[in-house]
Amino acid sequence: MPHFVVVGAGECGARAAFALREKGFEGDITLIGAEPVAPYERPPLSKEGLVHAHEPKFVAALERYAEQGIDLRLGIDATDIDPTGKVVTLTDGERLSYDKLLLATGASARSFPGIAGTGERIRMLRSQADALALRAALLPGRHVAIIGGGFIGLELAATARRLGADATVIEGLPRVLKRGVPEAIAELITQRHRQEGVDIRCDETIVAVEEGTDSAIVRLASGKEISADLVLIGIGAQPNVALAEKAGLAIDNGIAVNERLETSAADVYAAGDCCSFPLALYGGRRVRLESWRNAQEQGTLAAANLLGAENSISAVPWFWSDQYDLTLQIAGLADGAATMLRRDLGEDAFILFHLDETGRLLAASGIGRGNAVARDIRLAEMLIAARICADPAALTASHVKLKSLLAV
Amino acid sequence: MSGNWIEVCAADAIDEEDVMRFDHGGRTFAIYRSPEDDYFATDGLCTHEQIHLADGLVMDNIIECPKHNGRFDYRTGEAKGAPVCVNLKTYPVRVENGTVFIAV
């Protein structure tokens, strides 16, 4: 009976394990999870899930793993891979032979340079355990200083305000959401945070973060100091590549895989936040995506390929963020765009289309209340995947249904 | 109309291959019009995270949730794979004199 091992029991690894069964695999499946908790969805941890942090949203009920014959090992990690002998060694010393191996090791929160670690008043957010600790600390009237004006930092600021805490966001760049979000949308989000009482400070360089008994202090290059009850570091994530690197696998901003998610070692695949891959839709440029949808899709794709398919990655990158009642959605990659067009959807919702110099749609970025932009962003994603050069007048005219452009 | 048939809207209020939200009695429903001009009704909230399905995209007899892209066959309510695994309830629909009714 063949034995497939999945290292990493996050969204991607769990999805891959279930997808193997859905695709008819009858061999043994072992799913290795370093955290002591069953696979859960990570996006809520900075949003609604943080408000109710006591229980995560599980990818599947625990009994489903047993029903599907998935040997889920929790609270244990892989320490070594021998790609020649096809063996994975676990933290308890057990050695598992595999026929195919999937690395879905995810990413870890990036720590701030110069800060040795985290403490009672200096926190990062990546896991359910982090969220539980953070929830206990985010009390009404407390002041939280958030380092980083990216998605995580801003979502945490919105959640802190909802919980009655004061929030200051410190960003080193001239504006928030500099990476991948158009200025018009970032500006709207900034305004909304300020209306909600969040102190957003851009263009600030942090020289030190000091933890005291009663407070933590963020010292800025400008000479100013921000005193807070809690400092949250939200400056992105780095791929978990240590295991792959030790095994001699190729690394390139993540575990390097080809368009079929194959690593440089035979019968070893990688998927999700931990890997970088060539994206044919954007000229084969190598990217690494940290998103829930990507983790899901690559988990499913990896399962098919573990079973002998040779499917290539074709998905359009897609991200979303919720802050207050606003939802931001982005499909595609906008860098390299020559033109930007705006489509108004009413009630302050709008979409920006990003086109290359030939008029081909590269990306679409939308913002609005609730799911106001969701349907059109989904259609834009299909237009991007179909490599369509849409009529600019049709893109900007809100009475023209985007669905109609797909038929062209 | 008699029994528990509830008037929803004019039949042409829903575009072809589209969906509309309908709230009634503290519940929310999604009403669909297929490309063949048949009408269907399901519960209005995704079984994954209670998101309004009427904000989602209808295509090829599938309603896709706007938030996490969970998919259902709107004719049968069948969940079509992760992240959704619980089917939607469906409700009988009839169209009389250009008006859509559902039985709830």
Side-chain angles (χ1 to χ4, degrees):
Chain A
M1 198 67 102
H3 182 204
F4 289 180
V5 174
V6 180
V7 177
E11 184 77 43
C12 183
R15 180 87 299 273
F18 282 111
L20 284 170
R21 289 290 183 239
E22 285 159 15
K23 293 172 194 300
F25 179 62
E26 293 179 347
D28 296 325
I29 303 173
T30 305
L31 178 57
I32 307 292
E35 291 180 54
V37 59
Y40 55 88
E41 296 186 5
R42 228 172 272 276
L45 295 185
S46 54
K47 314 181 188 81
E48 187 64 24
L50 185 57
V51 178
H52 314 285
H54 52 283
E55 179 153 279
K57 182 165 176 53
F58 293 108
V59 173
L62 200 54
E63 57 267 26
R64 286 260 297 143
Y65 295 87
E67 283 167 14
Q68 295 291 309
I70 296 166
D71 183 6
L72 175 62
R73 311 267 191 98
L74 297 175
I76 200 159
D77 207 354
T79 58
D80 286 287
I81 305 164
D82 171 6
T84 311
K86 292 191 164 184
V87 173
V88 178
T89 305
L90 306 181
T91 40
D92 63 358
E94 187 181 358
R95 290 163 57 80
L96 296 174
S97 293
Y98 67 80
D99 293 282
K100 300 273 177 81
L101 174 66
L102 174 62
L103 299 175
T105 49
S108 302
R110 197 182 297 278
S111 56
F112 193 80
I115 298 176
T118 55
E120 188 63 26
R121 294 184 180 278
I122 302 176
R123 304 282 178 87
M124 296 197 287
L125 174 65
R126 188 70 192 174
S127 67
Q128 170 68 9
D130 296 338
L132 271 175
L134 187 53
R135 177 67 186 88
L138 277 177
L139 300 174
R142 286 210 173 170
H143 178 211
V144 53
I146 298 164
I147 299 177
F151 284 128
I152 288 284
L154 293 171
E155 286 173 5
L156 283 172
T159 305
R161 293 299 297 140
R162 184 170 165 200
L163 292 169
D166 294 327
T168 302
V169 174
I170 307 150
E171 169 58 53
L173 296 169
R175 68 165 170 92
V176 301
L177 298 171
K178 185 79 174 159
R179 206 181 73 170
V181 177
E183 191 165 0
I185 290 178
E187 178 58 29
L188 194 147
I189 290 173
T190 301
Q191 282 174 17
R192 181 56 185 276
H193 275 280
R194 287 182 171 149
Q195 283 166 9
E196 298 283 348
V198 177
D199 182 1
I200 293 188
R201 304 190 188 183
C202 295
D203 253 338
E204 294 281 12
T205 302
I206 294 167
V207 292
V209 181
E210 293 162 9
E211 184 171 12
T213 314
D214 300 322
S215 65
I217 294 175
V218 181
R219 296 188 194 284
L220 304 175
S222 58
K224 286 175 274 188
E225 292 179 358
I226 297 167
S227 176
D229 295 295
L230 195 65
V231 173
L232 286 173
I233 300 168
I235 53 170
Q238 55 196 10
N240 294 329
V241 299
L243 185 67
E245 200 163 26
K246 202 156 89 172
L249 273 60
I251 308 291
D252 182 357
N253 179 33
I255 304 168
V257 296
N258 63 15
E259 67 279 7
R260 295 183 297 279
L261 297 172
E262 296 165 325
T263 70
S264 57
D267 295 322
V268 182
Y269 294 71
D273 289 18
C274 69
C275 77
S276 70
F277 58 93
L279 198 49
L281 197 58
Y282 294 89
R285 64 186 273 201
R286 185 166 283 277
V287 298
R288 188 174 66 79
L289 301 177
E290 294 164 9
S291 81
W292 179 85
R293 166 105 79 88
N294 181 61
Q296 276 239 330
E297 288 174 343
Q298 289 198 348
T300 307
L301 178 67
N305 288 356
L306 286 166
L307 293 172
E310 294 188 341
N311 297 336
S312 293
I313 298 163
S314 59
V316 176
W318 180 83
F319 306 88
W320 97 92
S321 176
D322 291 337
Q323 292 162 43
Y324 311 107
D325 61 346
L326 294 176
T327 294
L328 157 73
Q329 288 200 4
I330 296 177
L333 301 176
D335 44 344
T339 313
M340 190 167 77
L341 301 171
R342 178 173 167 137
R343 180 185 184 91
D344 286 304
L345 302 178
E347 294 187 358
D348 300 329
F350 64 91
I351 288 181
L352 300 173
F353 292 109
H354 312 273
L355 285 64
D356 72 8
E357 63 283 353
T358 69
R360 188 186 130 200
L361 187 60
L362 291 176
S365 321
I367 191 161
R369 284 200 201 101
N371 293 306
V373 301
R375 192 186 308 203
D376 280 347
I377 289 287
R378 185 74 179 97
L379 285 162
E381 184 189 329
M382 293 178 188
L383 292 168
I384 294 165
R387 299 170 185 264
I388 278 175
C389 289
D391 172 15
L395 285 175
T396 53
S398 54
H399 65 276
V400 177
K401 289 195 168 190
L402 289 184
K403 205 192 249 187
S404 69
L405 305 182
L406 271 174
V408 175
Chain B
M1 305 296 288
S2 62
N4 55 354
W5 286 95
I6 308 294
E7 181 175 333
V8 176
C9 64
D12 59 8
I14 309 173
D15 287 343
E16 186 185 302
E17 199 177 46
D18 211 344
V19 57
M20 191 185 79
R21 174 177 164 180
F22 174 62
D23 294 334
H24 176 78
R27 298 162 68 189
T28 187
F29 303 89
I31 318 294
Y32 310 86
R33 178 177 170 185
S34 76
E36 296 79 26
D37 270 349
D38 294 321
Y39 289 78
F40 299 89
T42 69
D43 274 334
L45 299 175
C46 180
T47 57
H48 172 239
E49 254 189 29
Q50 303 292 295
I51 305 294
H52 281 287
L53 289 168
D55 291 330
L57 180 65
V58 171
M59 202 172 264
D60 301 329
N61 300 123
I62 297 291
I63 174 70
E64 186 176 276
C65 175
K67 198 71 182 178
H68 305 110
N69 310 111
R71 294 174 179 197
F72 303 88
D73 185 325
Y74 62 73
R75 299 167 301 178
T76 61
E78 183 192 357
K80 304 298 280 184
V84 292
C85 49
V86 178
N87 295 347
L88 290 171
K89 278 186 197 159
T90 59
Y91 301 89
V93 182
R94 68 186 193 208
V95 179
E96 280 189 14
N97 300 323
T99 301
V100 179
F101 297 84
I102 65 170
V104 300

